[in-house]
Amino acid sequence: MPLIPAFCNRCGAAFSSGIFIDNCVNISLYGNTSGPCPRCGGIGSVPNGVFNVINGVIEHFGAIRDQEEVLNRIANILTRAVEEKSSTQNIAKEIRYKAPEISNIAEVLPKTRTELYAFIALLLTLISILLANLGSNDDATEKLLNKILEKSMQSNYFIPYEEPLISKPRRNSPCQCGSGKRFKQCCGISI
């Protein structure tokens, strides 16, 4: 019996939501959560939309507008970041705040400016390709995505989640807020 996947809100891992459906069409799922995540212990969300489950194959419909909106949001964040010459920390903070669904991108942003802008150009290219193909009914793409999702839900693919280490800043080190000032002249002024 096929299971509907959930995606962890904290680490992004795919895992079983506990919702089992077989040989049904037009099942609407909105606002469902599941947990705990086997990777980090967080809570996951089931994708919103309409599901068809026939002969063990899960088809997901109806959330194309949601996906398109998220992709457009991240594209706007990245485009504005390049125009304003934002720092990696500021871009990461804005992605986490304005696009929490794909906040894992913030964790892999390069630290140097040249690598960052090359990475942003790559992401914007991928987003434009995804937006162009979002509404198409390409069976090969669907089968590939289903295989990837099925593979990613196997327990041997889970990497233990580790909370990022937050070290206490030194007085003369650069401030962690990304202002470019020293800690003692910025966020550490009240200490």
PDB file of all heavy atoms in Angstrom, residues 126-150:
ATOM      1  N   LEU A 126      18.289  27.299 -12.969  1.00  0.00           N
ATOM      2  CA  LEU A 126      17.486  26.126 -12.629  1.00  0.00           C
ATOM      3  C   LEU A 126      16.033  26.502 -12.341  1.00  0.00           C
ATOM      4  O   LEU A 126      15.111  25.806 -12.766  1.00  0.00           O
ATOM      5  CB  LEU A 126      18.083  25.404 -11.423  1.00  0.00           C
ATOM      6  CG  LEU A 126      19.391  24.669 -11.656  1.00  0.00           C
ATOM      7  CD1 LEU A 126      19.952  24.153 -10.335  1.00  0.00           C
ATOM      8  CD2 LEU A 126      19.202  23.524 -12.629  1.00  0.00           C
ATOM      9  N   ILE A 127      15.828  27.599 -11.645  1.00  0.00           N
ATOM     10  CA  ILE A 127      14.471  28.048 -11.338  1.00  0.00           C
ATOM     11  C   ILE A 127      13.715  28.388 -12.613  1.00  0.00           C
ATOM     12  O   ILE A 127      12.548  28.023 -12.776  1.00  0.00           O
ATOM     13  CB  ILE A 127      14.493  29.234 -10.356  1.00  0.00           C
ATOM     14  CG1 ILE A 127      14.911  28.745  -8.967  1.00  0.00           C
ATOM     15  CG2 ILE A 127      13.147  29.934 -10.292  1.00  0.00           C
ATOM     16  CD1 ILE A 127      15.201  29.849  -7.972  1.00  0.00           C
ATOM     17  N   SER A 128      14.376  29.070 -13.558  1.00  0.00           N
ATOM     18  CA  SER A 128      13.692  29.418 -14.815  1.00  0.00           C
ATOM     19  C   SER A 128      13.335  28.164 -15.607  1.00  0.00           C
ATOM     20  O   SER A 128      12.268  28.081 -16.208  1.00  0.00           O
ATOM     21  CB  SER A 128      14.537  30.376 -15.652  1.00  0.00           C
ATOM     22  OG  SER A 128      15.721  29.751 -16.074  1.00  0.00           O
ATOM     23  N   ILE A 129      14.210  27.135 -15.583  1.00  0.00           N
ATOM     24  CA  ILE A 129      13.899  25.871 -16.262  1.00  0.00           C
ATOM     25  C   ILE A 129      12.721  25.179 -15.576  1.00  0.00           C
ATOM     26  O   ILE A 129      11.797  24.692 -16.240  1.00  0.00           O
ATOM     27  CB  ILE A 129      15.142  24.950 -16.289  1.00  0.00           C
ATOM     28  CG1 ILE A 129      16.201  25.528 -17.225  1.00  0.00           C
ATOM     29  CG2 ILE A 129      14.765  23.534 -16.720  1.00  0.00           C
ATOM     30  CD1 ILE A 129      17.553  24.843 -17.128  1.00  0.00           C
ATOM     31  N   LEU A 130      12.734  25.157 -14.243  1.00  0.00           N
ATOM     32  CA  LEU A 130      11.633  24.535 -13.508  1.00  0.00           C
ATOM     33  C   LEU A 130      10.312  25.250 -13.763  1.00  0.00           C
ATOM     34  O   LEU A 130       9.282  24.608 -13.966  1.00  0.00           O
ATOM     35  CB  LEU A 130      11.929  24.525 -12.010  1.00  0.00           C
ATOM     36  CG  LEU A 130      12.943  23.507 -11.524  1.00  0.00           C
ATOM     37  CD1 LEU A 130      13.295  23.766 -10.064  1.00  0.00           C
ATOM     38  CD2 LEU A 130      12.411  22.107 -11.697  1.00  0.00           C
ATOM     39  N   LEU A 131      10.341  26.582 -13.760  1.00  0.00           N
ATOM     40  CA  LEU A 131       9.114  27.340 -14.004  1.00  0.00           C
ATOM     41  C   LEU A 131       8.585  27.102 -15.411  1.00  0.00           C
ATOM     42  O   LEU A 131       7.372  27.032 -15.629  1.00  0.00           O
ATOM     43  CB  LEU A 131       9.350  28.832 -13.760  1.00  0.00           C
ATOM     44  CG  LEU A 131       9.478  29.250 -12.298  1.00  0.00           C
ATOM     45  CD1 LEU A 131       9.900  30.707 -12.195  1.00  0.00           C
ATOM     46  CD2 LEU A 131       8.180  29.014 -11.548  1.00  0.00           C
ATOM     47  N   ALA A 132       9.487  26.955 -16.384  1.00  0.00           N
ATOM     48  CA  ALA A 132       9.064  26.718 -17.759  1.00  0.00           C
ATOM     49  C   ALA A 132       8.417  25.343 -17.917  1.00  0.00           C
ATOM     50  O   ALA A 132       7.511  25.165 -18.735  1.00  0.00           O
ATOM     51  CB  ALA A 132      10.253  26.844 -18.704  1.00  0.00           C
ATOM     52  N   ASN A 133       8.873  24.354 -17.126  1.00  0.00           N
ATOM     53  CA  ASN A 133       8.361  22.991 -17.255  1.00  0.00           C
ATOM     54  C   ASN A 133       7.371  22.600 -16.168  1.00  0.00           C
ATOM     55  O   ASN A 133       6.961  21.448 -16.109  1.00  0.00           O
ATOM     56  CB  ASN A 133       9.526  21.992 -17.236  1.00  0.00           C
ATOM     57  CG  ASN A 133      10.409  22.137 -18.445  1.00  0.00           C
ATOM     58  OD1 ASN A 133       9.910  22.220 -19.557  1.00  0.00           O
ATOM     59  ND2 ASN A 133      11.706  22.184 -18.232  1.00  0.00           N
ATOM     60  N   LEU A 134       6.975  23.548 -15.337  1.00  0.00           N
ATOM     61  CA  LEU A 134       6.138  23.229 -14.180  1.00  0.00           C
ATOM     62  C   LEU A 134       4.781  22.659 -14.571  1.00  0.00           C
ATOM     63  O   LEU A 134       4.319  21.703 -13.979  1.00  0.00           O
ATOM     64  CB  LEU A 134       5.948  24.478 -13.314  1.00  0.00           C
ATOM     65  CG  LEU A 134       5.553  24.256 -11.876  1.00  0.00           C
ATOM     66  CD1 LEU A 134       6.519  23.321 -11.184  1.00  0.00           C
ATOM     67  CD2 LEU A 134       5.492  25.564 -11.146  1.00  0.00           C
ATOM     68  N   GLY A 135       4.162  23.194 -15.573  1.00  0.00           N
ATOM     69  CA  GLY A 135       2.826  22.743 -15.953  1.00  0.00           C
ATOM     70  C   GLY A 135       2.804  21.611 -16.954  1.00  0.00           C
ATOM     71  O   GLY A 135       1.755  21.060 -17.247  1.00  0.00           O
ATOM     72  N   SER A 136       3.963  21.209 -17.491  1.00  0.00           N
ATOM     73  CA  SER A 136       3.967  20.170 -18.525  1.00  0.00           C
ATOM     74  C   SER A 136       3.729  18.795 -17.914  1.00  0.00           C
ATOM     75  O   SER A 136       4.071  18.532 -16.774  1.00  0.00           O
ATOM     76  CB  SER A 136       5.294  20.183 -19.283  1.00  0.00           C
ATOM     77  OG  SER A 136       6.323  19.747 -18.447  1.00  0.00           O
ATOM     78  N   ASN A 137       3.145  17.901 -18.697  1.00  0.00           N
ATOM     79  CA  ASN A 137       2.877  16.536 -18.249  1.00  0.00           C
ATOM     80  C   ASN A 137       3.889  15.591 -18.866  1.00  0.00           C
ATOM     81  O   ASN A 137       3.572  14.791 -19.726  1.00  0.00           O
ATOM     82  CB  ASN A 137       1.454  16.107 -18.635  1.00  0.00           C
ATOM     83  CG  ASN A 137       0.405  16.854 -17.846  1.00  0.00           C
ATOM     84  OD1 ASN A 137       0.637  17.205 -16.705  1.00  0.00           O
ATOM     85  ND2 ASN A 137      -0.734  17.095 -18.455  1.00  0.00           N
ATOM     86  N   ASP A 138       5.104  15.671 -18.436  1.00  0.00           N
ATOM     87  CA  ASP A 138       6.179  14.836 -18.958  1.00  0.00           C
ATOM     88  C   ASP A 138       6.287  13.580 -18.099  1.00  0.00           C
ATOM     89  O   ASP A 138       6.706  13.640 -16.948  1.00  0.00           O
ATOM     90  CB  ASP A 138       7.497  15.632 -18.942  1.00  0.00           C
ATOM     91  CG  ASP A 138       8.632  14.905 -19.614  1.00  0.00           C
ATOM     92  OD1 ASP A 138       8.410  13.781 -20.098  1.00  0.00           O
ATOM     93  OD2 ASP A 138       9.740  15.464 -19.652  1.00  0.00           O
ATOM     94  N   ASP A 139       5.893  12.415 -18.650  1.00  0.00           N
ATOM     95  CA  ASP A 139       5.902  11.167 -17.897  1.00  0.00           C
ATOM     96  C   ASP A 139       7.297  10.768 -17.444  1.00  0.00           C
ATOM     97  O   ASP A 139       7.474  10.235 -16.353  1.00  0.00           O
ATOM     98  CB  ASP A 139       5.285  10.030 -18.726  1.00  0.00           C
ATOM     99  CG  ASP A 139       3.782  10.169 -18.828  1.00  0.00           C
ATOM    100  OD1 ASP A 139       3.191  10.883 -18.000  1.00  0.00           O
ATOM    101  OD2 ASP A 139       3.195   9.551 -19.744  1.00  0.00           O
ATOM    102  N   ALA A 140       8.311  10.998 -18.285  1.00  0.00           N
ATOM    103  CA  ALA A 140       9.680  10.624 -17.912  1.00  0.00           C
ATOM    104  C   ALA A 140      10.136  11.407 -16.690  1.00  0.00           C
ATOM    105  O   ALA A 140      10.754  10.847 -15.780  1.00  0.00           O
ATOM    106  CB  ALA A 140      10.629  10.861 -19.083  1.00  0.00           C
ATOM    107  N   THR A 141       9.821  12.706 -16.643  1.00  0.00           N
ATOM    108  CA  THR A 141      10.175  13.532 -15.500  1.00  0.00           C
ATOM    109  C   THR A 141       9.457  13.044 -14.244  1.00  0.00           C
ATOM    110  O   THR A 141      10.055  12.939 -13.180  1.00  0.00           O
ATOM    111  CB  THR A 141       9.826  15.010 -15.772  1.00  0.00           C
ATOM    112  OG1 THR A 141      10.433  15.406 -16.984  1.00  0.00           O
ATOM    113  CG2 THR A 141      10.283  15.906 -14.649  1.00  0.00           C
ATOM    114  N   GLU A 142       8.162  12.741 -14.376  1.00  0.00           N
ATOM    115  CA  GLU A 142       7.390  12.243 -13.240  1.00  0.00           C
ATOM    116  C   GLU A 142       7.971  10.948 -12.689  1.00  0.00           C
ATOM    117  O   GLU A 142       8.117  10.782 -11.486  1.00  0.00           O
ATOM    118  CB  GLU A 142       5.925  12.011 -13.645  1.00  0.00           C
ATOM    119  CG  GLU A 142       5.107  13.260 -13.727  1.00  0.00           C
ATOM    120  CD  GLU A 142       4.908  13.915 -12.381  1.00  0.00           C
ATOM    121  OE1 GLU A 142       4.694  13.207 -11.375  1.00  0.00           O
ATOM    122  OE2 GLU A 142       4.981  15.142 -12.327  1.00  0.00           O
ATOM    123  N   LYS A 143       8.308  10.004 -13.576  1.00  0.00           N
ATOM    124  CA  LYS A 143       8.860   8.725 -13.139  1.00  0.00           C
ATOM    125  C   LYS A 143      10.192   8.919 -12.426  1.00  0.00           C
ATOM    126  O   LYS A 143      10.467   8.287 -11.411  1.00  0.00           O
ATOM    127  CB  LYS A 143       9.020   7.781 -14.328  1.00  0.00           C
ATOM    128  CG  LYS A 143       7.704   7.243 -14.826  1.00  0.00           C
ATOM    129  CD  LYS A 143       7.892   6.338 -16.022  1.00  0.00           C
ATOM    130  CE  LYS A 143       6.543   5.886 -16.557  1.00  0.00           C
ATOM    131  NZ  LYS A 143       6.679   5.086 -17.777  1.00  0.00           N
ATOM    132  N   LEU A 144      11.044   9.808 -12.965  1.00  0.00           N
ATOM    133  CA  LEU A 144      12.334  10.085 -12.348  1.00  0.00           C
ATOM    134  C   LEU A 144      12.155  10.695 -10.963  1.00  0.00           C
ATOM    135  O   LEU A 144      12.789  10.278  -9.999  1.00  0.00           O
ATOM    136  CB  LEU A 144      13.168  11.003 -13.241  1.00  0.00           C
ATOM    137  CG  LEU A 144      14.530  11.412 -12.704  1.00  0.00           C
ATOM    138  CD1 LEU A 144      15.422  10.178 -12.558  1.00  0.00           C
ATOM    139  CD2 LEU A 144      15.178  12.428 -13.609  1.00  0.00           C
ATOM    140  N   LEU A 145      11.267  11.682 -10.850  1.00  0.00           N
ATOM    141  CA  LEU A 145      11.016  12.316  -9.555  1.00  0.00           C
ATOM    142  C   LEU A 145      10.460  11.311  -8.552  1.00  0.00           C
ATOM    143  O   LEU A 145      10.843  11.317  -7.377  1.00  0.00           O
ATOM    144  CB  LEU A 145      10.060  13.498  -9.715  1.00  0.00           C
ATOM    145  CG  LEU A 145      10.631  14.717 -10.425  1.00  0.00           C
ATOM    146  CD1 LEU A 145       9.543  15.751 -10.673  1.00  0.00           C
ATOM    147  CD2 LEU A 145      11.770  15.331  -9.636  1.00  0.00           C
ATOM    148  N   ASN A 146       9.562  10.428  -8.992  1.00  0.00           N
ATOM    149  CA  ASN A 146       9.013   9.407  -8.092  1.00  0.00           C
ATOM    150  C   ASN A 146      10.093   8.447  -7.619  1.00  0.00           C
ATOM    151  O   ASN A 146      10.121   8.058  -6.459  1.00  0.00           O
ATOM    152  CB  ASN A 146       7.876   8.638  -8.771  1.00  0.00           C
ATOM    153  CG  ASN A 146       6.604   9.451  -8.844  1.00  0.00           C
ATOM    154  OD1 ASN A 146       6.395  10.367  -8.050  1.00  0.00           O
ATOM    155  ND2 ASN A 146       5.749   9.132  -9.796  1.00  0.00           N
ATOM    156  N   LYS A 147      11.016   8.056  -8.521  1.00  0.00           N
ATOM    157  CA  LYS A 147      12.118   7.170  -8.133  1.00  0.00           C
ATOM    158  C   LYS A 147      13.024   7.844  -7.104  1.00  0.00           C
ATOM    159  O   LYS A 147      13.423   7.238  -6.125  1.00  0.00           O
ATOM    160  CB  LYS A 147      12.960   6.786  -9.363  1.00  0.00           C
ATOM    161  CG  LYS A 147      12.495   5.582 -10.073  1.00  0.00           C
ATOM    162  CD  LYS A 147      13.498   5.234 -11.165  1.00  0.00           C
ATOM    163  CE  LYS A 147      13.103   3.981 -11.885  1.00  0.00           C
ATOM    164  NZ  LYS A 147      14.039   3.630 -12.949  1.00  0.00           N
ATOM    165  N   ILE A 148      13.359   9.106  -7.354  1.00  0.00           N
ATOM    166  CA  ILE A 148      14.220   9.848  -6.438  1.00  0.00           C
ATOM    167  C   ILE A 148      13.557   9.959  -5.071  1.00  0.00           C
ATOM    168  O   ILE A 148      14.193   9.741  -4.037  1.00  0.00           O
ATOM    169  CB  ILE A 148      14.554  11.247  -7.001  1.00  0.00           C
ATOM    170  CG1 ILE A 148      15.461  11.114  -8.239  1.00  0.00           C
ATOM    171  CG2 ILE A 148      15.201  12.133  -5.951  1.00  0.00           C
ATOM    172  CD1 ILE A 148      15.626  12.393  -9.018  1.00  0.00           C
ATOM    173  N   LEU A 149      12.277  10.286  -5.052  1.00  0.00           N
ATOM    174  CA  LEU A 149      11.548  10.425  -3.792  1.00  0.00           C
ATOM    175  C   LEU A 149      11.503   9.094  -3.053  1.00  0.00           C
ATOM    176  O   LEU A 149      11.760   9.023  -1.852  1.00  0.00           O
ATOM    177  CB  LEU A 149      10.136  10.943  -4.054  1.00  0.00           C
ATOM    178  CG  LEU A 149       9.260  11.139  -2.836  1.00  0.00           C
ATOM    179  CD1 LEU A 149       9.899  12.145  -1.895  1.00  0.00           C
ATOM    180  CD2 LEU A 149       7.894  11.586  -3.238  1.00  0.00           C
ATOM    181  N   GLU A 150      11.194   8.012  -3.778  1.00  0.00           N
ATOM    182  CA  GLU A 150      11.129   6.697  -3.169  1.00  0.00           C
ATOM    183  C   GLU A 150      12.479   6.295  -2.572  1.00  0.00           C
ATOM    184  O   GLU A 150      12.561   5.782  -1.469  1.00  0.00           O
ATOM    185  CB  GLU A 150      10.712   5.685  -4.243  1.00  0.00           C
ATOM    186  CG  GLU A 150      10.370   4.316  -3.719  1.00  0.00           C
ATOM    187  CD  GLU A 150       9.876   3.427  -4.841  1.00  0.00           C
ATOM    188  OE1 GLU A 150       8.844   3.773  -5.446  1.00  0.00           O
ATOM    189  OE2 GLU A 150      10.540   2.417  -5.107  1.00  0.00           O
TER     190      GLU A 150
END
